[in-house]
Amino acid sequence: MTSLIKRNASGNADNGDANLLINEVGGIGEAARRERAAGFDRWLGSLVPGREGIALVAVGGLGRRQCAPHGDLDLVLLHAGVPGVDELAASLWYPIWDAGVRLDHSVRTLAEALSVAQDDVKVALALLDARFVAGDRALADTLIRTAADHWRRTAVRRLPALREITESRWRTHGELAFLLEGDLKEAAGGLRDVGLLRAIATAGITDALRPAVRAAHLRLLDTRDALHQQVGRRVDRLVAQERDGVAGLLGLRQSPPGGSDDAQQFAVVSDGDVLLRRVAGDARTVSHALDDAWRAADRLRSGRRRGGDGRPVRRPVARDVVEHDGELVLARTAIGARPDPSLSVRIAAAAATTRLPIARATCEWLAAYCPPLPAPWPPAARAALITLLGAGPGLVPAWETCDRYGLIDGWLPEWTRLRSLPQHNPVHRFTLDRHLVQTAYEASRHTREVDRPDLLLLGAFLHDIGKGLPGDHSTVGAPLAEAVAARIGLPAPEAALIGTLVRLHLLLPDVATRRDLDDPVTIAGVAERVGDTTTLDLLHALVRADASATGPAAWSDWKGRLVAELVARVRTALDTGALPAPPAPDPALVAGPLPVVHLTEERVSVAAADRRGLLATVAGCLALHRLEVLAADASTVDGRALVECRVQPRYGLAPDPIALSADLRRAVNGDVSVTQRLRGRALAARGEGAAPRVVWHREAATDAVLLELRAADAAGLLYRVTCALDEAGAQVRAARISTLGGDVVDAFYLVGGWPSDAERARLEAAVLAAV
């Protein structure tokens, strides 16, 4: 590690603006953090005169001697009303700023500091980390001692306000244990929460800083150090592109499977995935400890209902489960020589439905003494699991508590593989385990819409069980989900239906966004795969739950309407056997003088004299006006070329309709200036990423062959591709555009069979060249 401060020949720190340099200090771990703190102490001590009534006090990372490589300084210049303090403060702060160090500072008397701490709970918390750096030690010690004493006397009544602030922060930053790109400091379970545990422990409320918490804290600090070193600046959010580099600095490496059996049981992960799983485990440890600490503080602050003998009231809430002092515990009769194997699932269901926590001692007893569930599960355990999954808001905290004590692994051996598994698709916000639980929670909103709400909840919980294993996760996961369903005691037909839900859980959104819903082949194909309306309704509810659990980028009103339209048509086909008739063209487009341009908020319709390339021209104009095409239909009626597009603004702002209409009219009439302008704009914004790919579907349409392009998203992509198709002699009758994060899957219905391998290869090469 390099020296923090460049020193002069006499061994003292240089104070001059020209010579004072803070190097980028490497080093990860407790020793490196303390060395950085010591360097800052020496430097800052040289800037503070040794006079009575003046003291420099460090809080934050320097106060705790936990200085990150690119952390900031939190300093308080404490004084006893001495003259010239403002000038002294300036002589201290300016050298720090000149050295390029971020600084949070204040100048206060002892009374002012204590008064602010009394009014602001965050300041009171910060002073618990206060440490003398230089100047009048007695003055600093008085502040440190008095602040700590005041906190111990007032903490119990001040914690509710602190908890409100904390929960607001959690709502903003989420839960570190389940986020794919979480903030190591601000997210729930992060470094700031360790500070809360330290404050609660200082108040003597509970032993919040147990050894497991201390170890998790040190690992989170190491991760932040490595992140700073990897990025080269202060940053607390562990984004995906930095994970492998941070893991390398921490010496974390993936362990390859030991054999073929292991390869089937565990996901192949990167070094960054190993890091993310470690961070998730540490964040869980911190979060669990803080939950326990909050409850201890609540009991101490307000107490619970007491009986005539002064002891807490015990209230039965379910079979073998009672509420005791605000927590759920087992009834005395349940703790016998041979405990019921379903006890752990039943108390979890009770916790979720009552939204009361399970007592720590009860969880520890269940983990140690509750026997494993037999296969198949007894009906009581199966019913409790469904109740747990359908409990709504109480599901997530109850599930997490059970997972904390290893109870979930006893129910579902597959959970070890799924826990904290990253999902690399950018639309996902959660790790896989949390996504599955969240999907069950979201599915509970739709249970009244289906005939079998129990199968919806279980299918939602198991829908991605195949992720992390080789192959398509829907196909791989179906037999795994079916096996779990059989193990918990579902009859064979119902277990098979769970497998079907998992195998087809992406069918509706994929078809709705990538296929022509007016084509009878599309509807017939979905109806054949789904089989009946019960399965159709379950899949429709599962799709919406999965999207809600994934993140805001996974769903839109437009996508919801398309899926609902597909479900309605498939239902008609299943009920009556009737398939959709070809859509009639808009009467306004087939009459009147040409060209015809109709604009609405979501649709652009154009009619022009029949000519090649109209779809490409319209697509280019829409790209020029920053409109994304979601779907496009092209047809010819009585010598007129018709193009109808569903659109949405690319950046959220609708274009000027007058300018768009004028450009469309000029372009379809062959105005070269518009064509040149849109071609230059579109071609300047090509996407990047993995190599694009073309996939052919020969039986997916009634009168066309389907060319599917998978590529990186980019403005003007549809224009370039439709131009290439037109120049290659292909007629596009419909296009469906599906955007998945930074990628697109664009489907083009090409008139004719295109049976020749050579012709398809020529067309494919033209499309790929245009991308």
Side-chain angles (χ1 to χ4, degrees), residues 411-439:
W411 308 343
L412 302 166
E414 298 84 357
W415 199 248
T416 301
R417 175 176 62 81
L418 304 174
R419 183 181 293 110
S420 302
L421 187 68
Q423 302 194 85
H424 295 291
N425 190 310
V427 301
H428 277 279
R429 56 178 169 169
F430 291 131
T431 53
L432 178 58
D433 55 340
R434 175 57 183 274
H435 174 69
L436 295 177
V437 176
Q438 190 72 24
T439 305

mmCIF file of all heavy atoms in Angstrom, residues 411-439:
data_model
loop_
_atom_site.group_PDB
_atom_site.id
_atom_site.type_symbol
_atom_site.label_atom_id
_atom_site.label_comp_id
_atom_site.label_asym_id
_atom_site.label_seq_id
_atom_site.Cartn_x
_atom_site.Cartn_y
_atom_site.Cartn_z
ATOM 1 N N TRP A 411 -37.882 -27.925 3.801
ATOM 2 C CA TRP A 411 -39.095 -28.113 3.003
ATOM 3 C C TRP A 411 -38.758 -28.417 1.544
ATOM 4 O O TRP A 411 -39.352 -29.295 0.936
ATOM 5 C CB TRP A 411 -39.977 -26.864 3.019
ATOM 6 C CG TRP A 411 -40.305 -26.309 4.365
ATOM 7 C CD1 TRP A 411 -40.190 -26.933 5.586
ATOM 8 C CD2 TRP A 411 -40.790 -24.992 4.648
ATOM 9 N NE1 TRP A 411 -40.573 -26.098 6.594
ATOM 10 C CE2 TRP A 411 -40.962 -24.892 6.059
ATOM 11 C CE3 TRP A 411 -41.120 -23.901 3.867
ATOM 12 C CZ2 TRP A 411 -41.428 -23.742 6.677
ATOM 13 C CZ3 TRP A 411 -41.596 -22.754 4.478
ATOM 14 C CH2 TRP A 411 -41.741 -22.669 5.867
ATOM 15 N N LEU A 412 -37.817 -27.632 1.004
ATOM 16 C CA LEU A 412 -37.492 -27.698 -0.428
ATOM 17 C C LEU A 412 -35.985 -27.805 -0.597
ATOM 18 O O LEU A 412 -35.279 -26.791 -0.557
ATOM 19 C CB LEU A 412 -37.998 -26.443 -1.144
ATOM 20 C CG LEU A 412 -39.498 -26.149 -1.037
ATOM 21 C CD1 LEU A 412 -39.794 -24.727 -1.498
ATOM 22 C CD2 LEU A 412 -40.278 -27.140 -1.868
ATOM 23 N N PRO A 413 -35.446 -29.005 -0.775
ATOM 24 C CA PRO A 413 -33.987 -29.142 -0.954
ATOM 25 C C PRO A 413 -33.457 -28.320 -2.125
ATOM 26 O O PRO A 413 -32.284 -27.937 -2.136
ATOM 27 C CB PRO A 413 -33.815 -30.644 -1.201
ATOM 28 C CG PRO A 413 -35.015 -31.277 -0.574
ATOM 29 C CD PRO A 413 -36.133 -30.300 -0.742
ATOM 30 N N GLU A 414 -34.314 -28.012 -3.107
ATOM 31 C CA GLU A 414 -33.876 -27.219 -4.264
ATOM 32 C C GLU A 414 -33.528 -25.786 -3.893
ATOM 33 O O GLU A 414 -32.862 -25.081 -4.662
ATOM 34 C CB GLU A 414 -34.994 -27.184 -5.327
ATOM 35 C CG GLU A 414 -35.366 -28.530 -5.897
ATOM 36 C CD GLU A 414 -36.382 -29.298 -5.048
ATOM 37 O OE1 GLU A 414 -36.759 -28.795 -3.955
ATOM 38 O OE2 GLU A 414 -36.796 -30.396 -5.460
ATOM 39 N N TRP A 415 -33.968 -25.336 -2.735
ATOM 40 C CA TRP A 415 -33.792 -23.931 -2.367
ATOM 41 C C TRP A 415 -32.322 -23.548 -2.219
ATOM 42 O O TRP A 415 -31.946 -22.397 -2.452
ATOM 43 C CB TRP A 415 -34.553 -23.643 -1.080
ATOM 44 C CG TRP A 415 -34.809 -22.184 -0.861
ATOM 45 C CD1 TRP A 415 -34.268 -21.377 0.099
ATOM 46 C CD2 TRP A 415 -35.688 -21.352 -1.621
ATOM 47 N NE1 TRP A 415 -34.755 -20.102 -0.013
ATOM 48 C CE2 TRP A 415 -35.628 -20.047 -1.067
ATOM 49 C CE3 TRP A 415 -36.518 -21.578 -2.722
ATOM 50 C CZ2 TRP A 415 -36.364 -18.988 -1.575
ATOM 51 C CZ3 TRP A 415 -37.249 -20.511 -3.232
ATOM 52 C CH2 TRP A 415 -37.167 -19.241 -2.665
ATOM 53 N N THR A 416 -31.476 -24.491 -1.847
ATOM 54 C CA THR A 416 -30.048 -24.187 -1.701
ATOM 55 C C THR A 416 -29.469 -23.674 -3.011
ATOM 56 O O THR A 416 -28.666 -22.739 -3.023
ATOM 57 C CB THR A 416 -29.291 -25.448 -1.255
ATOM 58 O OG1 THR A 416 -29.834 -25.899 -0.019
ATOM 59 C CG2 THR A 416 -27.805 -25.168 -1.086
ATOM 60 N N ARG A 417 -29.879 -24.265 -4.124
ATOM 61 C CA ARG A 417 -29.386 -23.833 -5.430
ATOM 62 C C ARG A 417 -29.973 -22.485 -5.833
ATOM 63 O O ARG A 417 -29.314 -21.681 -6.502
ATOM 64 C CB ARG A 417 -29.732 -24.885 -6.488
ATOM 65 C CG ARG A 417 -29.357 -24.479 -7.906
ATOM 66 C CD ARG A 417 -29.645 -25.596 -8.896
ATOM 67 N NE ARG A 417 -31.052 -25.941 -8.966
ATOM 68 C CZ ARG A 417 -31.968 -25.265 -9.666
ATOM 69 N NH1 ARG A 417 -31.606 -24.182 -10.337
ATOM 70 N NH2 ARG A 417 -33.217 -25.646 -9.686
ATOM 71 N N LEU A 418 -31.196 -22.220 -5.429
ATOM 72 C CA LEU A 418 -31.897 -21.015 -5.872
ATOM 73 C C LEU A 418 -31.559 -19.786 -5.041
ATOM 74 O O LEU A 418 -31.695 -18.660 -5.520
ATOM 75 C CB LEU A 418 -33.408 -21.256 -5.813
ATOM 76 C CG LEU A 418 -33.940 -22.465 -6.592
ATOM 77 C CD1 LEU A 418 -35.419 -22.663 -6.322
ATOM 78 C CD2 LEU A 418 -33.685 -22.301 -8.078
ATOM 79 N N ARG A 419 -31.100 -19.988 -3.809
ATOM 80 C CA ARG A 419 -30.901 -18.871 -2.890
ATOM 81 C C ARG A 419 -29.862 -17.881 -3.433
ATOM 82 O O ARG A 419 -28.746 -18.261 -3.781
ATOM 83 C CB ARG A 419 -30.477 -19.380 -1.516
ATOM 84 C CG ARG A 419 -30.318 -18.259 -0.482
ATOM 85 C CD ARG A 419 -29.870 -18.780 0.864
ATOM 86 N NE ARG A 419 -30.904 -19.600 1.496
ATOM 87 C CZ ARG A 419 -30.816 -20.909 1.650
ATOM 88 N NH1 ARG A 419 -29.751 -21.566 1.233
ATOM 89 N NH2 ARG A 419 -31.802 -21.566 2.235
ATOM 90 N N SER A 420 -30.257 -16.624 -3.500
ATOM 91 C CA SER A 420 -29.377 -15.506 -3.898
ATOM 92 C C SER A 420 -28.787 -15.678 -5.292
ATOM 93 O O SER A 420 -27.769 -15.067 -5.622
ATOM 94 C CB SER A 420 -28.236 -15.317 -2.881
ATOM 95 O OG SER A 420 -28.751 -15.078 -1.590
ATOM 96 N N LEU A 421 -29.420 -16.487 -6.141
ATOM 97 C CA LEU A 421 -28.896 -16.694 -7.498
ATOM 98 C C LEU A 421 -29.164 -15.455 -8.344
ATOM 99 O O LEU A 421 -30.309 -15.028 -8.478
ATOM 100 C CB LEU A 421 -29.554 -17.921 -8.132
ATOM 101 C CG LEU A 421 -28.990 -18.349 -9.491
ATOM 102 C CD1 LEU A 421 -27.564 -18.867 -9.338
ATOM 103 C CD2 LEU A 421 -29.869 -19.412 -10.130
ATOM 104 N N PRO A 422 -28.123 -14.840 -8.925
ATOM 105 C CA PRO A 422 -28.343 -13.648 -9.742
ATOM 106 C C PRO A 422 -29.122 -13.981 -11.007
ATOM 107 O O PRO A 422 -29.056 -15.089 -11.542
ATOM 108 C CB PRO A 422 -26.920 -13.181 -10.084
ATOM 109 C CG PRO A 422 -26.039 -13.854 -9.091
ATOM 110 C CD PRO A 422 -26.691 -15.163 -8.770
ATOM 111 N N GLN A 423 -29.864 -12.987 -11.488
ATOM 112 C CA GLN A 423 -30.530 -13.084 -12.788
ATOM 113 C C GLN A 423 -29.912 -12.003 -13.672
ATOM 114 O O GLN A 423 -29.966 -10.825 -13.327
ATOM 115 C CB GLN A 423 -32.035 -12.879 -12.643
ATOM 116 C CG GLN A 423 -32.674 -13.889 -11.695
ATOM 117 C CD GLN A 423 -34.180 -13.892 -11.808
ATOM 118 O OE1 GLN A 423 -34.742 -14.552 -12.663
ATOM 119 N NE2 GLN A 423 -34.838 -13.160 -10.931
ATOM 120 N N HIS A 424 -29.363 -12.404 -14.777
ATOM 121 C CA HIS A 424 -28.557 -11.478 -15.570
ATOM 122 C C HIS A 424 -29.361 -10.704 -16.612
ATOM 123 O O HIS A 424 -28.816 -9.844 -17.275
ATOM 124 C CB HIS A 424 -27.415 -12.237 -16.241
ATOM 125 C CG HIS A 424 -26.442 -12.815 -15.252
ATOM 126 N ND1 HIS A 424 -25.613 -12.037 -14.492
ATOM 127 C CD2 HIS A 424 -26.200 -14.102 -14.882
ATOM 128 C CE1 HIS A 424 -24.866 -12.807 -13.705
ATOM 129 N NE2 HIS A 424 -25.215 -14.060 -13.917
ATOM 130 N N ASN A 425 -30.641 -11.019 -16.755
ATOM 131 C CA ASN A 425 -31.475 -10.223 -17.645
ATOM 132 C C ASN A 425 -31.711 -8.857 -17.007
ATOM 133 O O ASN A 425 -32.132 -8.776 -15.856
ATOM 134 C CB ASN A 425 -32.811 -10.944 -17.876
ATOM 135 C CG ASN A 425 -33.619 -10.285 -18.987
ATOM 136 O OD1 ASN A 425 -33.818 -9.081 -18.994
ATOM 137 N ND2 ASN A 425 -34.075 -11.089 -19.922
ATOM 138 N N PRO A 426 -31.453 -7.774 -17.721
ATOM 139 C CA PRO A 426 -31.520 -6.445 -17.096
ATOM 140 C C PRO A 426 -32.906 -6.028 -16.647
ATOM 141 O O PRO A 426 -33.033 -5.063 -15.884
ATOM 142 C CB PRO A 426 -30.999 -5.507 -18.193
ATOM 143 C CG PRO A 426 -31.183 -6.263 -19.473
ATOM 144 C CD PRO A 426 -30.993 -7.705 -19.127
ATOM 145 N N VAL A 427 -33.973 -6.707 -17.089
ATOM 146 C CA VAL A 427 -35.301 -6.298 -16.643
ATOM 147 C C VAL A 427 -35.578 -6.777 -15.227
ATOM 148 O O VAL A 427 -36.516 -6.296 -14.580
ATOM 149 C CB VAL A 427 -36.402 -6.827 -17.597
ATOM 150 C CG1 VAL A 427 -36.188 -6.312 -18.996
ATOM 151 C CG2 VAL A 427 -36.485 -8.345 -17.587
ATOM 152 N N HIS A 428 -34.788 -7.722 -14.719
ATOM 153 C CA HIS A 428 -35.018 -8.248 -13.377
ATOM 154 C C HIS A 428 -34.378 -7.334 -12.334
ATOM 155 O O HIS A 428 -33.250 -6.878 -12.492
ATOM 156 C CB HIS A 428 -34.431 -9.657 -13.242
ATOM 157 C CG HIS A 428 -35.348 -10.729 -13.756
ATOM 158 N ND1 HIS A 428 -36.387 -11.231 -13.012
ATOM 159 C CD2 HIS A 428 -35.386 -11.389 -14.937
ATOM 160 C CE1 HIS A 428 -37.021 -12.157 -13.712
ATOM 161 N NE2 HIS A 428 -36.444 -12.262 -14.891
ATOM 162 N N ARG A 429 -35.103 -7.124 -11.223
ATOM 163 C CA ARG A 429 -34.572 -6.315 -10.132
ATOM 164 C C ARG A 429 -34.162 -7.160 -8.939
ATOM 165 O O ARG A 429 -33.444 -6.681 -8.064
ATOM 166 C CB ARG A 429 -35.622 -5.289 -9.671
ATOM 167 C CG ARG A 429 -36.956 -5.898 -9.262
ATOM 168 C CD ARG A 429 -37.946 -4.859 -8.778
ATOM 169 N NE ARG A 429 -39.278 -5.438 -8.642
ATOM 170 C CZ ARG A 429 -40.288 -4.830 -8.045
ATOM 171 N NH1 ARG A 429 -40.105 -3.632 -7.516
ATOM 172 N NH2 ARG A 429 -41.471 -5.398 -7.973
ATOM 173 N N PHE A 430 -34.625 -8.427 -8.865
ATOM 174 C CA PHE A 430 -34.379 -9.262 -7.693
ATOM 175 C C PHE A 430 -33.536 -10.479 -8.057
ATOM 176 O O PHE A 430 -33.516 -10.929 -9.208
ATOM 177 C CB PHE A 430 -35.696 -9.776 -7.095
ATOM 178 C CG PHE A 430 -36.551 -8.730 -6.450
ATOM 179 C CD1 PHE A 430 -37.899 -8.639 -6.742
ATOM 180 C CD2 PHE A 430 -36.018 -7.832 -5.537
ATOM 181 C CE1 PHE A 430 -38.707 -7.681 -6.132
ATOM 182 C CE2 PHE A 430 -36.810 -6.876 -4.929
ATOM 183 C CZ PHE A 430 -38.155 -6.800 -5.235
ATOM 184 N N THR A 431 -32.881 -11.033 -7.024
ATOM 185 C CA THR A 431 -32.271 -12.345 -7.171
ATOM 186 C C THR A 431 -33.380 -13.377 -7.344
ATOM 187 O O THR A 431 -34.556 -13.131 -7.063
ATOM 188 C CB THR A 431 -31.425 -12.688 -5.939
ATOM 189 O OG1 THR A 431 -32.235 -12.521 -4.759
ATOM 190 C CG2 THR A 431 -30.202 -11.794 -5.849
ATOM 191 N N LEU A 432 -33.003 -14.582 -7.788
ATOM 192 C CA LEU A 432 -34.009 -15.565 -8.170
ATOM 193 C C LEU A 432 -34.903 -15.963 -7.001
ATOM 194 O O LEU A 432 -36.123 -16.075 -7.152
ATOM 195 C CB LEU A 432 -33.325 -16.804 -8.762
ATOM 196 C CG LEU A 432 -34.260 -17.945 -9.166
ATOM 197 C CD1 LEU A 432 -35.292 -17.472 -10.190
ATOM 198 C CD2 LEU A 432 -33.455 -19.121 -9.724
ATOM 199 N N ASP A 433 -34.315 -16.206 -5.826
ATOM 200 C CA ASP A 433 -35.136 -16.657 -4.706
ATOM 201 C C ASP A 433 -36.200 -15.627 -4.346
ATOM 202 O O ASP A 433 -37.366 -15.969 -4.156
ATOM 203 C CB ASP A 433 -34.266 -17.013 -3.500
ATOM 204 C CG ASP A 433 -33.351 -15.884 -3.065
ATOM 205 O OD1 ASP A 433 -33.083 -14.963 -3.859
ATOM 206 O OD2 ASP A 433 -32.864 -15.919 -1.909
ATOM 207 N N ARG A 434 -35.807 -14.366 -4.264
ATOM 208 C CA ARG A 434 -36.788 -13.336 -3.936
ATOM 209 C C ARG A 434 -37.808 -13.179 -5.068
ATOM 210 O O ARG A 434 -38.998 -12.924 -4.823
ATOM 211 C CB ARG A 434 -36.095 -12.008 -3.644
ATOM 212 C CG ARG A 434 -37.049 -10.848 -3.405
ATOM 213 C CD ARG A 434 -38.024 -11.121 -2.255
ATOM 214 N NE ARG A 434 -38.970 -10.033 -2.101
ATOM 215 C CZ ARG A 434 -38.740 -8.940 -1.373
ATOM 216 N NH1 ARG A 434 -37.576 -8.805 -0.743
ATOM 217 N NH2 ARG A 434 -39.639 -8.004 -1.280
ATOM 218 N N HIS A 435 -37.377 -13.333 -6.306
ATOM 219 C CA HIS A 435 -38.310 -13.230 -7.426
ATOM 220 C C HIS A 435 -39.408 -14.287 -7.325
ATOM 221 O O HIS A 435 -40.587 -13.999 -7.580
ATOM 222 C CB HIS A 435 -37.562 -13.366 -8.750
ATOM 223 C CG HIS A 435 -38.472 -13.422 -9.941
ATOM 224 N ND1 HIS A 435 -39.213 -12.344 -10.364
ATOM 225 C CD2 HIS A 435 -38.786 -14.451 -10.789
ATOM 226 C CE1 HIS A 435 -39.940 -12.684 -11.426
ATOM 227 N NE2 HIS A 435 -39.703 -13.954 -11.694
ATOM 228 N N LEU A 436 -39.047 -15.508 -6.959
ATOM 229 C CA LEU A 436 -40.041 -16.569 -6.845
ATOM 230 C C LEU A 436 -41.047 -16.260 -5.742
ATOM 231 O O LEU A 436 -42.266 -16.420 -5.925
ATOM 232 C CB LEU A 436 -39.349 -17.909 -6.572
ATOM 233 C CG LEU A 436 -38.442 -18.429 -7.688
ATOM 234 C CD1 LEU A 436 -37.760 -19.720 -7.256
ATOM 235 C CD2 LEU A 436 -39.237 -18.657 -8.964
ATOM 236 N N VAL A 437 -40.553 -15.826 -4.591
ATOM 237 C CA VAL A 437 -41.449 -15.489 -3.492
ATOM 238 C C VAL A 437 -42.304 -14.278 -3.865
ATOM 239 O O VAL A 437 -43.514 -14.235 -3.586
ATOM 240 C CB VAL A 437 -40.647 -15.225 -2.204
ATOM 241 C CG1 VAL A 437 -41.563 -14.776 -1.072
ATOM 242 C CG2 VAL A 437 -39.880 -16.472 -1.798
ATOM 243 N N GLN A 438 -41.705 -13.292 -4.514
ATOM 244 C CA GLN A 438 -42.443 -12.102 -4.906
ATOM 245 C C GLN A 438 -43.522 -12.444 -5.934
ATOM 246 O O GLN A 438 -44.614 -11.858 -5.918
ATOM 247 C CB GLN A 438 -41.478 -11.060 -5.487
ATOM 248 C CG GLN A 438 -42.085 -9.691 -5.710
ATOM 249 C CD GLN A 438 -42.358 -8.941 -4.415
ATOM 250 O OE1 GLN A 438 -41.726 -9.210 -3.407
ATOM 251 N NE2 GLN A 438 -43.289 -8.002 -4.453
ATOM 252 N N THR A 439 -43.243 -13.371 -6.829
ATOM 253 C CA THR A 439 -44.239 -13.762 -7.820
ATOM 254 C C THR A 439 -45.435 -14.420 -7.157
ATOM 255 O O THR A 439 -46.593 -14.186 -7.538
ATOM 256 C CB THR A 439 -43.627 -14.709 -8.863
ATOM 257 O OG1 THR A 439 -42.472 -14.104 -9.451
ATOM 258 C CG2 THR A 439 -44.614 -15.011 -9.975
#
